[in-house]
């Protein structure tokens, strides 16, 4: 027995003294607020206080805490409660998975230094990683010296309101690994150690008879179609592979163990024969290369094309033509929550609770894999500890479902950090080349672009990337002539999928760095060059789409005073860079509907059924604000349900910056329909004011008061006294053979300016400040919007300067570097509001856009500081030095 004080109360537990403190806290004492992101002390999510000092609980053997005081995020201490309130005020919690660790590290600092400055906060929180916030609001909350963001808005839309799920975030929200069904089997996955390997099994029957082994499952046990994919027409990835395995980390077998049994699979009888592997697209495209998928000639998954005008002819008449190349690496999503979940049978319905960005897609994929009808599968998403695109693809869900279905018993599976990094999707590595031509005044005349994108072993979101890149590679600039191609090529590398931007960040690196060179060659200010070429209302894009509500020029103009100030402060080694972006919100030229439901119960409770997953971006809050504005009832009246495929309609996947726009339009329509129904029932006019008073719905119509007795109304089809459900699908068209059409109903725009210092001896880059102007159309919640900007910029910093996933080498958060609190400089966010004709109250999507311009602005600032032209990212110090040595 080990005895210690936990949050001020004595506890005693029976445990092996070498057991991790995290395991004891979570599994034996139920304190799941302490999170596990790595089990190696790299991420800090498990930070707790031990005798008054912060420690990583995953590195502490529980024997060490005998007689000690342990404090977790569940503590009721006054100073921790104050800090939680500050986190809520400043919007310092997004997905929430790192929040408990941040809070405990912050309390540790505040008890030693009640009035810390930014430097002290960075020192104290340097061991806790965040992938969502960009750290700036965390610093503000801990210092709490300046007022939190305010808003002049008088209504729900435009107001800075705390997250509706914020209290859960600061309390240690429930994520995929935090809820375990009683008697759950524990699962373990057997994965390929090679990028390409044949394999066979030994005596599985004998292994299955071992004590504690509850089952062994292989591809032969899959009852349905053993192939899934984000885009059904390209579905090609097996839940459990048959020989051969096509990438390192691919699942080839699944084991179930009885509760409490150690999942040691070191001697599992699988025998490998390593096969030649195609590791880069150049190998895969070479004549005679082996085919990874027999039906995909030349290992090409798909090629996207946009062709407008005659780019080759326009190049001939251009006064200046510059060519350029750019290469990018695999980038890991590195969310702090590894994939986790559980499954069980509820009668004849398979229930899966897991972290996901796309519950309806999960349901449909799992039903197909397991041979079930969709109405016999229920997906209950947990809180999601970061997604950024990778949790759009199913991962452990079909594995959980298979075991629960076959055994009839509940089960759980939690990926290790290595499991997560080896088996899940990455940002597409790209090799891009082409040229851009302009006239002597700096007007862009033509773009020619060819991009090769490494899509890895399976399709995932490769078709989306290949089609989205040619549409966007012109940047948000008027481009009369363009020929742009992007092809997705299979290799035996990690699967490349969706990652915040779907290939547009890579394309922007190529295009924006050439724009800088064009401006310099012509002697035109680099910012003014972009302003001159920026799209305006009524202009036609590269696909021939005439756009309205275009905010890119406003964003660039907003940077002017900052640009002039920064240029006036330049000195040797100091550089200033700028880059712009645009991004089509939602699916490319495909249906993209979202459905929302609102109801008022007979007892007077207002309920929003919101099936769109909030992965930290704040859609739960934004949907409530939009609904409150349209309905005319306060945010405080709303109760949120969902997402849950049994309880909420399809809000669509959380991707492509679509939720505020698409789901926002759907919830606005539902609220307007419910309001119209209320006015009809009460015989009131359009301007009436609504109020809920228990089971009474009060309607004040120009001095006349109407009261609707909700309890006396019959139940409607959803069981409510009054309800409405509406769907919105953006108006788009398909692209023709030349990529012409209307691929998106809405675009968002932005521009960023970077100030930095380069050490000429070491090649290191110190970021000094980033100024970001983003057109949000209408800021539904300004604090959430600036939080997205700061978080996206942090990921853009990683793309530019440090992140490079190398299979077999950087499969943890020690060797794979993401920005820490010390790497993100002060960020000045400028919210530009150019209303969009399609957006709810004029709002535009934002989540993807904010990452796109950061990396090219950094590269442009490095070139301004040193003359070095970086053509491969990340711009690691040795690459910066090499580029400096090779400069003209």
């Amino acid at each position: 027995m080990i005895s210690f004080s936990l949050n001020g109360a004595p506890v005693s537990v029976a445990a092996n003294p070498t057991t991790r403190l995290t395991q004891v806290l979570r599994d034996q004492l139920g304190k799941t607020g302490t999170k596990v992101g790595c089990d190696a002390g790299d991420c800090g999510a498990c930070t707790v206080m031990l005798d008054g000092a912060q420690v990583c609980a995953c590195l502490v053997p529980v024997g060490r805490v005998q007689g000690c005081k342990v404090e977790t995020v569940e503590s009721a201490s006054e100073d921790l409660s104050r800090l939680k309130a500050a986190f809520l005020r400043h919007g310092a919690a997004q997905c929430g998975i790192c929040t408990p660790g941040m809070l405990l590290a912050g309390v540790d600092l505040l008890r030693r230094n009640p009035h810390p400055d930014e430097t002290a906060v960075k020192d104290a929180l340097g061991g806790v990683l965040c992938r969502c916030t960009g750290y700036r609001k965390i610093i503000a909350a801990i210092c709490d010296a300046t007022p939190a963001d305010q808003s002049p808005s008088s209504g729900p839309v435009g107001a800075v309101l705390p997250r509706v799920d914020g209290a859960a975030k600061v309390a240690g929200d429930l994520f995929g690994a935090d809820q375990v069904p009683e008697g759950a089997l524990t699962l373990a996955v057997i994965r390929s150690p090679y990028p390409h390997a044949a394999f066979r099994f030994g005596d599985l029957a004998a292994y299955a008879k071992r004590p504690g082994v509850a089952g062994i499952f292989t591809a032969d046990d899959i009852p349905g179609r053993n192939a899934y994919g984000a885009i059904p027409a390209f579905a090609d990835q097996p839940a459990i592979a048959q020989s051969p395995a096509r990438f390192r980390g691919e699942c080839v077998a699944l084991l179930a163990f009885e509760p409490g049994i150690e999942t040691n699979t070191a001697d599992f009888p699988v025998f490998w024969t390593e096969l030649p592997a195609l590791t880069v697209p150049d190998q895969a495209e070479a004549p005679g290369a082996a085919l990874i998928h027999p039906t995909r000639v030349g290992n090409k998954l798909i090629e996207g094309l946009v062709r407008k005008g005659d780019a080759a002819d326009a190049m001939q008449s251009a006064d200046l033509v510059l060519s350029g190349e750019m290469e990018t690496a695999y980038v890991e999503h590195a969310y702090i929550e590894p994939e986790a979940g559980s499954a069980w049978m509820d009668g004849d319905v398979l229930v899966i609770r897991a972290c996901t960005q796309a519950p309806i897609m999960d349901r449909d994929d799992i039903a197909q894999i397991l041979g079930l009808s969709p109405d016999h599968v229920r997906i209950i998403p947990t809180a999601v500890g970061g997604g950024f695109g990778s949790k759009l693809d199913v991962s452990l869900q079909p594995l959980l479902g298979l075991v629960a279905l076959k055994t009839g018993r509940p089960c759980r599976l939690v990926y290790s950090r290595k499991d997560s990094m080896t088996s899940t999707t990455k940002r597409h590595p790209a090799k891009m080349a082409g040229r851009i031509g302009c006239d002597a005044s700096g007007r862009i005349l033509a773009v020619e672009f060819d991009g090769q994108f490494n899509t890895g072993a399976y399709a995932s979101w490769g078709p989306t990337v290949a089609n989205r890149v040619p549409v966007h590679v012109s940047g948000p600039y008027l481009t009369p002539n363009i020929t742009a191609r992007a092809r997705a090529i299979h290799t035996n590398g990690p699967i490349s999928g969706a990652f915040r931007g779907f290939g547009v960040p890579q394309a922007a690196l190529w295009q924006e760095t050439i724009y800088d060179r064009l401006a310099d060659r012509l002697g035109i200010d680099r910012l003014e060059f972009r302003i001159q070429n920026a799209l305006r209302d009524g202009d036609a894009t590269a696909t021939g789409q005439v756009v309205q509500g275009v905010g890119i020029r406003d964003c660039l103009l907003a940077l002017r005073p900052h640009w002039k100030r920064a240029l006036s402060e330049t000195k040797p080694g100091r550089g200033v860079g700028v880059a712009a972006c645009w991004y089509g919100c939602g699916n490319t030229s495909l249906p993209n509907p979202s459905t929302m439901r609102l109801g008022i119960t007979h007892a007077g409770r207002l309920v929003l059924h919101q099936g769109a997953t909030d992965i930290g971006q704040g859609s739960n809050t934004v949907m409530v604000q939009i609904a409150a504005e349209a309905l005319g009832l306060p945010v405080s009246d709303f109760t949120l349900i969902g997402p849950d495929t049994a309880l909420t309609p399809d809000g669509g996947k959380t991707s492509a910056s679509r939720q505020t726009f698409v789901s926002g339009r759907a919830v606005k329509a539902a609220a307007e329909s419910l309001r119209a129904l209320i006015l009809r029932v009460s015989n009131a006019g359009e301007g009436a004011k609504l109020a809920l008073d228990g089971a009474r719905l009060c309607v004040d119509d120009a001095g006349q008061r109407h009261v609707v007795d909700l309890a006396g109304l019959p139940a409607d089809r959803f069981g409510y006294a009054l309800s409405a459900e509406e769907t919105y699908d953006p108006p788009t068209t398909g692209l023709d053979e030349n990529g012409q059409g209307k691929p998106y109903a809405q675009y968002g725009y932005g521009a960023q300016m970077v100030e930095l210092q380069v050490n000429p001896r070491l090649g290191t880059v110190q970021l000094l400040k980033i100024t970001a102007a983003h057109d949000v159309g209408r800021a539904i919640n300004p604090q959430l919007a600036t939080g997205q900007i700061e978080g996206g910029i942090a990921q853009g910093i990683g793309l530019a300067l440090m992140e490079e996933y190398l299979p077999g080498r950087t499969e943890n958060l020690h060797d794979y570097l993401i920005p820490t609190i010390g790497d993100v400089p002060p960020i000045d966010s400028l919210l530009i509001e150019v209303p969009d004709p399609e957006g709810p109250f004029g709002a535009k999507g934002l989540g993807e856009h904010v990452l796109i311009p950061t990396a090219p602005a950094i590269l442009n600032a490095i070139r301004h500081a040193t003359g070095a032209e970086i053509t491969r990212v990340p711009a690691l110090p040795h690459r910066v030095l090499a580029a400096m040595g090779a400069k003209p």
Side-chain angles (χ1 to χ4, degrees), residues 213-348:
V213 177
I216 301 173
F217 306 88
T218 68
D220 293 339
D221 295 299
I222 301 289
R225 181 188 174 199
N226 191 15
Y228 66 87
I231 303 172
F234 295 89
D236 58 2
Q237 185 172 354
I240 303 176
Q242 292 182 313
S243 183
R246 292 184 172 96
F247 72 97
R248 174 182 166 84
E250 182 160 24
C251 170
V252 302
L254 179 65
L255 279 72
F257 293 88
E258 295 292 343
I261 300 297
E262 184 180 358
T263 58
N264 186 345
T265 62
D267 60 349
F268 181 77
V270 59
F271 304 96
W272 304 96
T273 301
E274 187 175 4
L275 301 173
L278 301 171
T279 57
V280 295
D282 285 347
Q283 293 176 331
E285 289 192 293
L291 296 183
I292 293 172
H293 297 276
T295 60
R296 293 176 182 163
V297 178
N299 286 310
K300 183 168 72 174
L301 171 65
I302 195 173
E303 181 173 271
L305 167 68
V306 167
R307 182 163 45 216
K308 177 186 176 186
D310 190 332
D313 184 66
M315 292 291 182
Q316 295 296 320
S317 61
D319 293 294
L320 177 62
V321 177
L322 291 182
S323 298
E325 297 181 351
M326 182 63 65
E327 185 173 355
T328 70
Y330 281 116
V331 181
E332 161 66 24
H333 293 76
Y335 27 71
I336 306 304
E337 179 204 22
E339 290 73 9
S342 57
W344 62 93
M345 298 302 299
D346 182 5
D348 61 354

Side-chain angles (χ1 to χ4, degrees), residues 349-350 360 363-364 366-368 372-379 645:
V349 175
L350 170 64
I360 294 292
R363 181 198 67 185
D364 295 346
I366 291 161
Q368 180 172 267
L372 301 172
S373 62
D375 60 352
H376 282 80
V377 179
R378 178 183 182 185
I379 305 297
T645 60

Side-chain angles (χ1 to χ4, degrees), residues 845-880:
L846 181 67
E848 238 94 347
H849 319 54
V850 292
L851 174 143
I852 296 168
T854 310
I858 289 172
L859 296 199
N860 288 338
I862 292 173
R863 192 179 73 88
H864 181 238
T866 67
E869 294 182 3
I870 308 295
T871 59
R872 182 180 176 187
V873 293
L876 300 173
H878 70 280
R879 291 175 184 159
V880 174

